[in-house]
């Protein structure tokens, strides 16, 4: 079976026949055609998405650092290659996103002191007067995974070596985006959720004991997979993301793309049986066999990852906890931020179309400030912010979500995820 047939097979596994999907997409387009809220959200997504000038600049930086890598590490019997992974090649990076570069060697392996050699080469470039790129803040990190960091032309660049996991994740996310379709729903949803988490709530950043990008991406995939009948636009994905994870019982359960599991027994919590996930168990096993970076055994009966406060299983490496960076204090902060966002977006979805547009801009207030945008419809964004948040501040997110702990009335039992969200009652 060739690659094209394989792709068609897994498309059928993940979302049904092509004919049914084509009819579904036509219905979706008609549903959102006259939705001004959807159009405004799409404009927001477009404002955050990488622009041609940004992509061109990152390509220039990448070409430059590849030349430096070649000079520093190329040797007799050794050919080096530098590949990008992460949000830049996926084109889901935010305006100030960095570039992740992984170095591989063909022939002779990389020397043990490759970080020091690369650091020296970058420092020499920094000192050269005629350099076409400004290089500064060159740092070597000799940890378990050796890294070299620098700033090139005001863009952060992180170097690692011989790490397949980042490239595997990139290929997996690209494939899932193709499988889901819907005009790049996966990528646009990742961008919108990242923008809210980074600009509006400041809950992203593994280096600050907050959510890692990959954990957030996996959570977005979970929402799209299990709520695919309702998550048809990036704004709907964000809404479901905030509602579901603000009330998810992280103390008792952990999350994987195969479903919700109990932390103590590592057993799956039964679903309510009303909706099958878009990313089926068969497809996820196929992805694990194809992309598992370390050749880890797939189909393991028990989860072996170490539990922390917010636990998300890596779909390509089941022993890896993508939420391990989150501290207890950050966990509480994340949950409160999600609850506050869910409460505000619930109100916006309950407004008329005319009222919801300025409220939506207020919801993404910090993004509009960072991008220097105005509302373009009369009056400043700041005045709309004050107008639209006045009523919310009176009741506060606690009116609907308690103190943000997620254990109040209406919290999400894993087995009743669909019933709770869409007006039915069920227990796990």
């Amino acid at each position: 079976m060739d690659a094209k047939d394989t792709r068609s097979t897994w498309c059928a596994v993940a979302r049904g026949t092509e004919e049914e999907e084509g009819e579904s997409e036509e219905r979706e387009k008609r549903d959102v055609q006259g939705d001004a809220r959807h159009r405004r959200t799409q404009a927001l997504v477009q404002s955050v998405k990488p622009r041609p000038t940004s992509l061109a600049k990152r390509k220039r930086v990448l070409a430059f650092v590849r030349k430096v890598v070649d000079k520093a590490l190329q040797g007799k019997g050794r050919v080096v290659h530098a590949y990008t992974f992460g949000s830049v090649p996926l084109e889901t990076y935010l305006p100030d996103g960095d570039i992740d570069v992984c170095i591989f060697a063909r022939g002779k392996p990389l020397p043990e002191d490759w970080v020091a050699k690369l650091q020296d080469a970058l420092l020499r470039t920094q000192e050269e007067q005629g350099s076409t790129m400004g290089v500064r803040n060159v740092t070597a990190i000799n940890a378990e995974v050796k890294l070299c960091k620098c700033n090139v032309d005001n863009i952060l660049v992180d170097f690692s070596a011989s790490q397949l996991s980042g490239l595997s994740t990139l290929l997996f996310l690209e494939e899932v985006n193709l499988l889901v379709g819907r005009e790049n729903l996966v990528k646009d949803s990742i961008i919108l959720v990242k923008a809210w988490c980074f600009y509006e709530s400041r809950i992203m950043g593994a280096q600050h004991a907050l959510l890692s990008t990959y954990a957030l991406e996996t959570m977005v995939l979970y929402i799209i997979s299990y709520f695919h009948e309702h998550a048809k636009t990036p704004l709907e994905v964000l809404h479901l993301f905030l509602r579901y994870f603000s009330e998810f019982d992280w103390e008792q359960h952990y999350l994987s793309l195969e479903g919700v599991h109990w932390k103590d027994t590592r057993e799956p919590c039964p679903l309510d049986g009303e909706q099958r996930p878009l990313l089926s168990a068969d497809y996820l096993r196929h992805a694990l066999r194809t992309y598992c970076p370390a050749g880890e055994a797939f189909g393991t009966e028990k989860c072996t990852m170490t539990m922390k406060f917010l636990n998300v299983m890596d779909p390509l490496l089941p022993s890896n906890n993508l939420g391990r960076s989150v501290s207890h204090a950050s966990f509480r902060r994340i949950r409160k931020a999600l609850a506050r966002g869910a409460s505000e977006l619930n109100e916006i979805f309950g407004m008329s179309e005319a009222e919801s547009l300025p409220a939506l801009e207020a919801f993404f207030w910090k993004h509009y400030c960072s991008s220097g945008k105005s509302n373009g419809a009369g009056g400043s964004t700041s005045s709309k912010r004050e107008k639209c948040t006045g009523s919310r501040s009176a009741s506060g997110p606690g009116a609907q979500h308690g103190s943000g702990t997620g254990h109040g009335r209406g919290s999400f039992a894993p087995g009743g995820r669909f019933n709770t969200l869409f007006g039915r009652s069920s227990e796990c």
Side-chain angles (χ1 to χ4, degrees):
M1 181 180 290
D2 61 21
K4 184 176 180 180
D5 290 335
T6 302
R7 174 60 50 77
S8 299
T9 299
W10 288 112
C11 282
V13 169
R15 64 181 184 185
T17 66
E18 293 179 2
E19 291 77 13
E20 291 173 341
E21 181 62 23
E23 293 172 1
S24 175
E25 288 185 354
E26 285 300 315
R27 286 195 300 270
E28 290 163 17
K29 287 179 181 178
R30 288 196 297 270
D31 289 342
V32 303
Q33 201 167 26
D35 188 350
R37 191 164 53 201
H38 170 74
R39 292 196 300 270
R40 186 61 57 88
T41 308
Q42 284 302 103
L44 175 69
V45 171
Q46 291 301 320
S47 73
V48 182
K49 286 176 76 170
R51 298 179 182 180
T53 52
S54 172
L55 291 168
K57 181 177 180 179
R58 279 166 170 75
K59 285 182 179 178
R60 289 195 302 271
V61 170
L62 180 59
F64 172 79
V65 298
R66 278 176 170 160
K67 289 180 180 178
V68 177
V69 168
D70 285 346
K71 281 185 180 179
L73 302 176
Q74 203 89 268
K76 188 175 181 180
R78 182 193 305 122
V79 179
V80 295
H81 301 277
Y83 297 101
T84 56
F85 64 94
S87 58
V88 169
L90 193 63
E91 296 188 10
T92 57
Y93 63 88
L94 297 179
D96 49 359
D98 58 3
I99 300 176
D100 293 303
V101 177
C102 193
I103 303 168
F104 293 89
R106 185 159 49 88
K108 283 186 178 180
L110 288 172
E112 286 292 322
D113 61 344
W114 72 266
V115 172
K117 290 180 181 295
L118 181 58
Q119 183 184 25
D120 289 343
L122 288 166
L123 288 171
R124 285 196 303 271
T125 304
Q126 177 179 312
E127 294 167 0
E128 290 175 3
Q129 296 295 323
S131 176
T132 57
M133 294 280 184
V135 180
R136 54 192 176 87
N137 300 337
V138 181
T139 307
I141 301 175
N142 287 298
E144 182 180 354
V145 177
K146 296 179 180 179
L147 299 172
C148 185
K149 296 174 175 282
C150 66
N151 186 304
V152 180
D153 203 15
N154 295 319
I155 295 177
L156 296 175
V157 183
D158 289 354
F159 297 92
S160 58
S162 307
Q163 300 293 314
L164 287 171
S165 56
L167 296 175
S168 299
T169 301
L170 170 63
L171 294 172
F172 171 66
L173 291 173
E174 284 282 9
E175 180 171 276
V176 171
N177 182 64
L178 289 173
L179 291 174
V180 172
R182 301 181 187 178
E183 299 180 344
N184 289 320
L185 177 65
V186 168
K187 290 188 178 184
D188 286 356
S189 298
I190 287 173
I191 290 173
L192 189 66
V193 174
K194 280 174 69 174
W196 187 86
C197 289
F198 185 78
Y199 293 117
E200 310 303 324
S201 59
R202 301 293 182 182
I203 58 174
M204 257 188 72
Q207 69 274 25
H208 302 299
L210 297 167
L211 278 173
S212 69
T213 300
Y214 190 17
L216 184 143
E217 290 167 341
T218 304
M219 292 161 73
V220 169
L221 292 186
Y222 179 89
I223 292 297
I224 292 174
S225 180
Y226 283 89
F227 299 106
H228 56 90
E229 290 186 1
H230 305 275
K232 296 177 181 178
T233 69
L235 184 61
E236 289 172 343
V237 172
L238 174 61
H239 187 208
L240 292 165
F241 179 95
L242 295 174
R243 290 188 63 185
Y244 187 77
F245 291 119
S246 66
E247 299 183 8
F248 186 87
D249 188 357
W250 294 104
E251 283 83 1
Q252 299 295 324
H253 303 98
Y254 70 88
L255 189 80
S256 81
L257 290 185
E258 292 188 352
V260 178
H261 291 67
W262 297 98
K263 284 175 65 176
D264 52 357
T265 64
R266 313 293 173 101
E267 296 294 332
C269 186
L271 298 177
D272 56 18
E274 294 190 24
Q275 188 172 19
R276 289 184 301 174
L278 193 62
L279 303 177
S280 67
D282 286 342
Y283 171 72
L284 293 173
R285 281 193 290 271
H286 150 77
L288 189 58
R289 285 194 296 267
T290 305
Y291 299 119
C292 185
E296 183 174 295
F298 52 87
T300 307
E301 292 184 1
K302 292 284 185 179
C303 165
T304 59
M305 71 178 186
T306 302
M307 295 296 166
K308 298 283 285 186
F309 304 104
L310 188 151
N311 302 290
V312 180
M313 181 186 284
D314 185 339
L316 303 183
L317 196 63
S319 62
N320 183 28
N321 185 353
L322 301 177
R324 66 185 182 277
S325 61
V326 178
S327 66
H328 186 254
S330 296
F331 169 68
R332 295 175 62 187
R333 172 181 169 182
I334 290 167
R335 175 172 273 169
K336 287 180 179 179
L338 295 175
R340 184 176 62 252
S343 178
E344 293 183 2
L345 206 49
N346 283 343
E347 288 193 23
I348 292 172
F349 270 77
M351 293 177 180
S352 67
E353 190 174 272
E355 292 176 321
S356 67
L357 294 183
L360 193 60
E361 288 192 6
F363 186 70
F364 289 102
W365 159 246
K366 291 176 184 175
H367 161 70
Y368 278 103
C369 286
S370 68
S371 60
K373 295 186 179 297
S374 64
N375 54 55
S380 66
T381 306
S382 59
S383 65
K384 291 192 175 185
R385 173 74 169 181
E386 293 169 3
K387 180 179 179 181
C388 297
T389 56
S391 62
R392 283 199 285 270
S393 61
S395 58
Q400 183 166 347
H401 296 274
S403 61
T405 60
H407 297 295
R409 184 178 62 186
S411 69
F412 288 93
R417 60 169 66 81
F418 312 115
N419 295 332
T420 310
L421 273 175
F422 305 113
R424 299 183 290 273
S425 61
S426 174
E427 293 296 331
C428 176

